[in-house]
Amino acid sequence: MQYVSKTTINHNSINISLLSEKTRELINMIGFSDTYLLVSKLGGQDVYIPKFPDRSKLIEILPRESVEVLSQMYGGTYLALPTSRQIDIQERNKEIVKALLNGDSRAKVARRFGLSVRQVANVRKEFPC
């Protein structure tokens, strides 16, 4: 009954309102860290949530308390999990802006993140400082 350690993403810098309704619902139930852990491991899948937490494979990923909450809310059903993409993109965009503010060129940042120079410029426009 071991679960993976929590994520290192700083949830205070993530704009929750930009996330899907299901992601926000999960965050309200089990917290940001456990939600991110769940969607980063199983996102995009329909996951069966048993009525009894001890019967759940989720106990290997999440703390027991979070699995109990999910069992209370969704026990006996399949839960369509969103992906972590929306969170990951916000985190990536923060890193892009940080690199630009540190003096890295758009071309260097584009190469680092596998984007075009235009995409980097668009990210920068989204986050004026």
Side-chain angles (χ1 to χ4, degrees):
M1 295 195 209
Q2 186 177 8
Y3 66 92
V4 179
S5 62
K6 297 187 188 256
T7 177
T8 59
I9 288 185
N10 179 1
H11 71 277
N12 294 325
S13 62
I14 299 297
N15 186 343
I16 303 295
S17 67
L18 297 177
L19 303 178
S20 70
E21 183 178 341
K22 181 58 74 179
T23 303
R24 291 191 312 264
E25 181 181 310
L26 289 168
I27 289 170
N28 286 333
M29 282 191 285
I30 62 173
F32 179 87
S33 295
D34 288 347
T35 297
Y36 184 74
L37 194 56
L38 182 62
V39 298
S40 65
K41 296 283 183 192
L42 300 173
Q45 300 178 42
D46 290 340
V47 176
Y48 181 72
I49 310 295
K51 292 181 182 181
F52 303 100
D54 292 332
R55 296 181 182 169
S56 177
K57 292 183 181 180
L58 294 177
I59 206 83
E60 297 169 6
I61 298 171
L62 298 172
R64 181 174 183 73
E65 300 80 36
S66 292
V67 177
E68 287 173 353
V69 169
L70 292 174
S71 292
Q72 289 171 0
M73 293 299 295
Y74 302 109
T77 65
Y78 281 88
L79 177 60
L81 292 175
T83 66
S84 64
R85 184 160 172 74
Q86 294 170 323
I87 297 169
D88 296 336
I89 287 173
Q90 284 190 48
E91 186 69 13
R92 181 207 66 192
N93 290 350
K94 275 187 348 188
E95 292 298 315
I96 288 171
V97 171
K98 188 191 264 182
L100 292 170
L101 291 174
N102 286 335
D104 290 348
S105 70
R106 288 181 181 171
K108 181 178 179 181
V109 173
R111 281 190 304 276
R112 177 177 163 200
F113 289 95
L115 301 172
S116 70
V117 173
R118 175 51 127 194
Q119 287 172 305
V120 170
N122 288 341
V123 168
R124 181 67 179 101
K125 265 197 266 182
E126 277 182 51
F127 298 97
C129 293

